[in-house]
């Protein structure tokens, strides 16, 4: 059984009810060239993506990821994706994978080739990195200024802040800066001092018995993992809230995590060089939930 699968997808219009979805996928060798040089995703980062965790043969939270893909397409003025087509592509790729293990499945919808008639789309799934150490022992994080204040998404929608675009060069630069400062990961804060998100994750903190995360204002991505964890916490009688979180509320939290689809929940054991309280058992419980099949 292959542990990577790559499908090129001919995107169908959102309202197409074409029953022959399989005919719109072409499996290719991920190590061979597959895109044209005029591709706007590679030339300009002009496209959107999603990364879905696959655990023991189950793609986690497929619908919330596809809804977010649709929302990113709307923000970027890309053609609306045909969700049943993407669901079928995900099902086809997952069916080819080994039945156990963790994988990262990436969906990409690009504006296509320059002057070309249609968007380009593909799916690639490969084994996930081993995040056992981060999940069990936690990570060191640093706060980094994102360079704009709260309210920027509303004032400057052309910055596409709420969309998961392919333009992740800034996010990757923030991770390099975090490493230069001796940390593992970063947390973006607004220039007026409010917590936003990690470069590839959402922030959740707990003060007493209240779990909170920054309000999804349009400047950050609404994380599927955070949403799913809040459902779980609510269902088990714990209190959750969305609100604007000043940095000092993070610094003085009783616990804090970065959460995302493939790495799942990792506790922050040190923030800006100062130790944070960390409960390995609590984090284990969150990850045990996240590793169960979730739709
Ligand atoms: N925020 C950003 C900027 C991200 O890139 C990601 C995931 O990659 C998240 C938040 C977390 O989203 P999810 O939980 O859906 O993986």
């Amino acid at each position: 059984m292959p542990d990577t699968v790559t499908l090129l997808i001919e995107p169908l219009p959102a309202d197409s009810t074409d029953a022959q979805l399989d005919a719109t996928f072409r499996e290719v060798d991920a190590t061979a060239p597959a895109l044209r040089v005029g591709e706007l995703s590679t030339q300009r980062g002009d496209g959107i993506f999603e990364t879905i965790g696959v655990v023991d043969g189950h793609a986690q939270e497929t619908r919330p990821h596809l809804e977010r893909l649709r929302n990113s397409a709307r923000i970027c003025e890309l053609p609306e994706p045909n969700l049943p087509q993407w669901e079928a592509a995900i099902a086809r790729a997952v069916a080819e994978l080994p039945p156990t293990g963790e994988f990262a499945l990436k969906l990409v919808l690009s504006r296509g080739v320059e002057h070309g008639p249609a968007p380009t789309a593909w799916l690639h799934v490969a084994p996930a990195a081993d995040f056992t150490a981060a999940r069990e022992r936690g990570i060191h994080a640093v706060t980094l200024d994102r360079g704009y204040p709260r309210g920027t998404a509303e004032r400057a929608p052309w910055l596409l802040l709420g969309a998961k675009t392919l333009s992740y060069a800034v996010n990757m630069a923030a991770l390099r800066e975090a490493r230069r400062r001796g940390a593992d990961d970063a947390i973006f804060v607004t220039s007026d001092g409010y917590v936003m998100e990690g470069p590839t994750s959402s922030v959740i903190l707990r003060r007493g018995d209240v779990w909170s995360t920054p309000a999804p204002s349009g400047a950050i991505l609404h994380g599927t993992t955070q949403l799913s964890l809040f459902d779980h916490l609510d269902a088990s009688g714990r209190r959750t809230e969305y609100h604007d979180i000043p940095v000092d509320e993070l610094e003085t939290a009783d616990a804090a995590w970065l959460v995302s689809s493939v790495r799942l929940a990792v506790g922050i054991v040190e923030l800006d060089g100062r130790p944070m309280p960390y409960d390995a058992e609590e984090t284990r419980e969150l990850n045990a939930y996240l590793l169960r099949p979730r739709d």
Side-chain angles (χ1 to χ4, degrees):
M1 253 173 176
D3 63 2
T4 65
V5 180
T6 309
L7 300 178
L8 295 184
I9 299 168
E10 270 172 50
L12 290 172
D15 58 1
S16 163
T17 50
D18 194 335
Q20 298 301 311
L21 292 177
D22 230 40
T24 64
F25 314 140
R26 185 160 60 87
E27 192 155 350
V28 295
D29 175 355
T31 60
L35 299 175
R36 284 172 283 176
V37 286
E39 201 15 79
L40 291 167
S41 55
T42 50
Q43 288 199 36
R44 298 197 195 275
D46 193 356
I48 56 177
F49 77 105
E50 282 295 322
T51 304
I52 300 179
V54 179
V55 180
D56 296 343
H58 188 271
Q60 305 281 49
E61 303 279 342
T62 298
R63 260 287 150 169
H65 277 285
L66 291 178
E67 297 291 350
R68 192 169 63 187
L69 186 76
R70 174 153 63 190
N71 188 47
S72 298
R74 187 185 53 74
I75 296 171
C76 295
E77 299 170 76
L78 283 162
E80 183 180 336
N82 182 305
L83 302 197
Q85 183 188 26
W86 283 100
E87 270 169 344
I90 293 165
R92 154 120 181 231
V94 170
E96 292 187 27
L97 294 175
T100 57
E102 291 182 48
F103 297 84
L105 185 153
K106 191 164 178 174
L107 312 175
V108 181
L109 176 62
S110 128
R111 203 172 298 280
V113 174
E114 200 159 19
H115 314 301
T120 312
W122 69 94
L123 172 161
H124 176 66
V125 55
D130 181 1
F131 292 115
T132 313
R135 287 178 193 163
E136 288 180 357
R137 294 202 284 277
I139 55 158
H140 295 194
V142 288
T143 52
L144 294 181
D145 185 351
R146 189 74 172 87
Y148 43 72
R150 261 186 321 165
T152 302
E154 293 74 19
R155 275 198 307 279
W158 49 89
L159 295 180
L160 308 177
L161 294 181
K164 196 165 167 67
T165 74
L166 290 169
S167 312
Y168 260 46
V170 167
N171 304 45
M172 298 300 107
L175 288 178
R176 290 194 297 276
E177 178 61 22
R179 292 193 186 114
R180 253 193 303 279
R181 297 184 189 195
D184 308 297
D185 211 331
I187 297 177
F188 286 130
V189 297
T190 60
S191 55
D192 48 350
Y194 288 86
V195 176
M196 298 179 78
E197 61 187 347
T200 64
S201 59
S202 310
V203 179
I204 294 180
L205 55 92
R206 181 176 63 69
R207 293 169 73 83
D209 57 6
V210 181
W211 301 66
S212 52
T213 195
S217 62
I220 60 174
L221 278 188
H222 201 171
T224 61
T225 317
Q226 173 269 311
L227 272 168
S228 177
L229 268 178
F230 271 29
D231 283 348
H232 167 66
L233 294 167
D234 289 339
S236 54
R238 285 168 283 185
R239 209 172 116 201
T240 58
E241 315 181 322
Y242 290 93
H243 65 256
D244 288 341
I245 299 178
V247 180
D248 62 353
E249 213 174 288
L250 170 66
E251 287 164 352
T252 56
D254 293 317
W257 294 266
L258 292 180
V259 306
S260 52
S261 295
V262 180
R263 192 174 60 175
L264 305 180
V266 296
I268 300 171
V269 297
E270 191 183 287
L271 183 68
D272 292 330
R274 286 186 295 275
M276 289 275 300
Y278 173 65
D279 182 338
E281 190 49 48
E282 194 170 43
T283 306
R284 215 167 286 137
E285 193 257 317
L286 301 180
N287 282 320
Y289 163 73
L290 292 172
L291 285 163
R292 278 183 233 144
R294 290 177 289 123
D295 287 315

